[in-house]
Amino acid sequence: MKKAVILGANGNIGKYVSLELAKTDYQLVQFSRKPQKINHTDILFAGDILDSNSVHKACEGADLIFLLVGIQYSSKAWAKQWPVIMRNTLDASIANQAKLVFFDNMYALDPEEISHLTEKTALEASSKKGKVRKQILEMLWSEVASKKLKALVARSADFYGPGAGNSMLNEMVISKMKSGKKPQWLYSASKKHSFTYVPDAGKATAFLALQEDSWNQAWNLPTDSSYPSLEEIVHILNEELNSSHQVQVMPAWLISVLSLFMSILKEVKELRYQIDQDYCFDSKKIQQKYGIYPTPIREGLKNCLR
């Protein structure tokens, strides 16, 4: 039986990747500090992704390795930990001649191209977090170029979905409106915005890992190309909930003041460009190549309300 290792088990994406792989002949190993089974046949391996020995032991004999880790949302933590995480994963992948799937975001992409992000968009980050993502992507592609590794990058826009943790849309809008509270957003509610539905992202990531011709390239995961503004999303949710909430937008000056006291807003400030202008994430490549299409935003939002 072939072996697949999920580094970053029990996260938003790991769940759906695991459910898809359970339909195949792969034996799954769930790796995290406190892993839990998604499928009854899963093997659990408790370990620290920052410890190379732990990662190597978990990945012994692996055919596929998925790097799906999420860490503290802090520029300092990212700069310190992500290069270590990527090095440990690359070394384990190469040692086992395993294919590597890296689940990425769009932070490393050129912010000047935010209105139309494709797989060809240059890695030209301006933010601290984006520069870290660029650094670790360059580490990965360097090993691919040296032919030591087969890998692919599965890239997501901002995500949302049923029970999705650490999702701005879930936490600031959907959950609040479900409980009868006013939704909140940052900078602007009128700009187009890309949201990737978590089940779509997980299923497509697993699918890509099972193809012969998907490797050594990046893929934008299926994302609804209607690019709804927050105002449009709130309108849809109001219709579904039979409510009449207006979105409360936090302007730039207020974010600057509150960021002195709230660390999360301090971290968000450098990514303002993703929110105060049109942000359109193009997933035509996977649609045209494999016929994988995104869940329409209204359907995804309805599923979040159930």
Side-chain angles (χ1 to χ4, degrees):
M1 181 177 281
K2 293 183 287 187
K3 178 178 177 180
V5 181
I6 308 292
L7 300 177
N10 310 128
N12 290 308
I13 302 302
K15 172 185 175 182
Y16 290 98
V17 169
S18 298
L19 290 171
E20 289 301 302
L21 289 180
K23 303 172 186 176
T24 71
D25 58 352
Y26 277 94
Q27 171 66 66
L28 267 67
V29 176
Q30 303 286 352
F31 176 96
S32 68
R33 289 183 184 274
K34 296 180 180 180
Q36 297 177 348
K37 288 188 177 184
I38 302 299
N39 311 290
H40 74 277
T41 56
D42 292 350
I43 295 171
L44 303 184
F45 193 110
D48 184 354
I49 191 71
L50 295 170
D51 176 39
S52 61
N53 289 330
S54 186
V55 175
H56 274 268
K57 287 179 182 178
C59 294
E60 284 181 1
D63 299 281
L64 262 180
I65 297 174
F66 291 82
L67 181 53
L68 311 178
V69 173
I71 65 173
Q72 180 186 357
Y73 197 70
S74 155
S75 296
K76 288 183 179 180
W78 281 33
K80 182 179 180 180
Q81 296 179 13
W82 263 117
V84 177
I85 292 169
M86 181 58 79
R87 187 70 264 158
N88 289 346
T89 305
L90 291 171
D91 288 346
S93 301
I94 293 167
N96 289 283
Q97 295 185 309
K99 295 177 180 178
L100 173 62
V101 178
F102 176 42
F103 186 85
D104 194 21
N105 57 36
M106 44 68 66
Y107 286 18
L109 303 182
D110 187 350
E112 296 297 319
E113 302 296 325
I114 189 72
S115 64
H116 188 210
L117 299 173
T118 73
E119 290 85 353
K120 295 181 180 179
T121 303
L123 300 180
E124 290 290 349
S126 60
S127 68
K128 292 177 182 178
K129 295 185 194 68
K131 289 176 181 177
V132 172
R133 301 301 284 203
K134 180 175 184 285
Q135 176 189 355
I136 63 174
L137 283 165
E138 288 173 342
M139 291 169 64
L140 182 150
W141 292 128
S142 175
E143 299 293 4
V144 170
S146 69
K147 301 192 183 303
K148 294 179 182 177
L149 176 71
K150 271 193 174 183
L152 68 83
V153 172
R155 185 168 285 136
S156 172
D158 287 352
F159 60 83
Y160 79 106
N166 299 317
S167 159
M168 280 181 59
L169 186 59
N170 273 69
E171 294 180 7
M172 297 182 70
V173 180
I174 299 169
S175 294
K176 284 184 178 293
M177 291 184 69
K178 281 177 71 174
S179 60
K181 298 177 182 177
K182 184 178 292 187
Q184 296 178 318
W185 201 243
L186 308 175
Y187 296 112
S188 172
S190 62
K191 301 298 182 181
K192 295 178 181 178
H193 202 93
S194 298
F195 292 103
T196 304
Y197 188 54
V198 169
D200 289 349
K203 291 175 184 177
T205 298
F207 175 88
L208 289 168
L210 299 174
Q211 307 312 303
E212 291 296 327
D213 56 359
S214 60
W215 296 96
N216 298 342
Q217 56 191 300
W219 297 89
N220 285 357
L221 296 170
T223 300
D224 189 338
S225 61
S226 66
Y227 307 130
S229 69
L230 249 293
E231 291 171 343
E232 291 170 324
I233 285 176
V234 169
H235 177 72
I236 292 171
L237 291 170
N238 274 326
E239 288 186 339
E240 296 298 329
L241 292 167
N242 194 27
S243 56
S244 56
H245 293 293
Q246 297 294 315
V247 61
Q248 185 178 43
V249 178
M250 199 178 297
W253 68 266
L254 181 57
I255 293 171
S256 293
V257 172
L258 293 178
S259 67
L260 299 173
F261 313 99
M262 301 172 67
S263 59
I264 186 64
L265 290 182
K266 183 178 180 180
E267 295 295 335
V268 166
K269 279 178 65 179
E270 68 169 359
L271 303 172
R272 174 178 173 175
Y273 73 93
Q274 298 179 16
I275 310 173
D276 70 357
Q277 54 187 310
D278 289 343
Y279 162 17
C280 302
F281 185 85
D282 187 330
S283 60
K284 289 191 184 73
K285 178 181 173 181
I286 195 170
Q287 294 170 199
Q288 293 172 352
K289 174 69 175 178
Y290 296 118
I292 299 177
Y293 291 86
T295 298
I297 190 72
R298 181 180 287 271
E299 182 181 339
L301 291 171
K302 287 173 71 173
N303 291 337
C304 291
L305 295 176
R306 291 196 175 104

